[in-house]
Amino acid sequence: MLTKSPSDSAQFSFFDIINQLDDTHPLLALSRAIDWQALELEFSPLYSAIGRKAKPIRLMTGLLMLKQLYDLSDEAIVEQWQMNPYYQAFCGETHFQTTPPCHSTELVKFRQRLGKEGVNRLFALSVALHGEAAEEPVVLVDTTVQEKAITYPTDSKLAI
């Protein structure tokens, strides 16, 4: 069962963060550039109308984006989200939350729910946000192989 996004529901929380954060911060600018409603429309059919309430799609997709953006593990992104008001605002929270958004295993289950196509959709969205700047004119590939410092029995220095 799908729940509403944090910005659509009443929250009992610590303090309002939207008015206290720097509006020019890159994460806030990125959150304004993303079409969250389109993501919710695309991924909402993956949820059932019965059962336990699920975490909001914006929260979960935001956590996955932050995880990739800052190269964090599932456990680390959940911990960082709890401490960073910019992460919370990026994921749609309007008030500072003092509890973790979810357990780290819920991110694994959300990725499984999205499947390969859904994860590719999130990646395509991040590339589309950058437009032409995302494409490199030249791709450099390093094919250098470093030999290991292994002494073989046939080496002449072993015979001496």
Side-chain angles (χ1 to χ4, degrees), residues 2-3 8 16 22 24 31 41 67 74 76 90 93 107 116 129 131 135:
L2 188 59
T3 58
D8 298 338
D16 181 21
D22 179 14
T24 61
S31 72
L41 286 175
K67 177 186 178 315
D74 289 346
F90 179 78
E93 292 292 341
L107 289 171
K116 185 177 181 180
L129 286 173
E135 297 180 16

Side-chain angles (χ1 to χ4, degrees), residues 8-54:
D8 298 338
S9 61
Q11 295 285 326
F12 297 103
S13 58
F14 195 52
F15 64 86
D16 181 21
I17 58 173
I18 298 299
N19 296 328
Q20 298 181 17
L21 297 178
D22 179 14
D23 200 37
T24 61
H25 192 276
L27 277 180
L28 296 181
L30 180 61
S31 72
R32 287 188 297 271
I34 295 173
D35 186 6
W36 297 104
Q37 284 78 22
L39 284 175
E40 288 191 14
L41 286 175
E42 185 172 344
F43 296 143
S44 61
L46 301 174
Y47 289 85
S48 173
I50 58 173
R52 185 174 65 118
K53 292 192 180 227

Side-chain angles (χ1 to χ4, degrees), residues 126-145:
S126 64
V127 171
L129 286 173
H130 293 88
E132 296 290 324
E135 297 180 16
E136 293 288 332
V138 176
V139 177
L140 299 176
V141 178
D142 184 12
T143 60
T144 305
V145 177

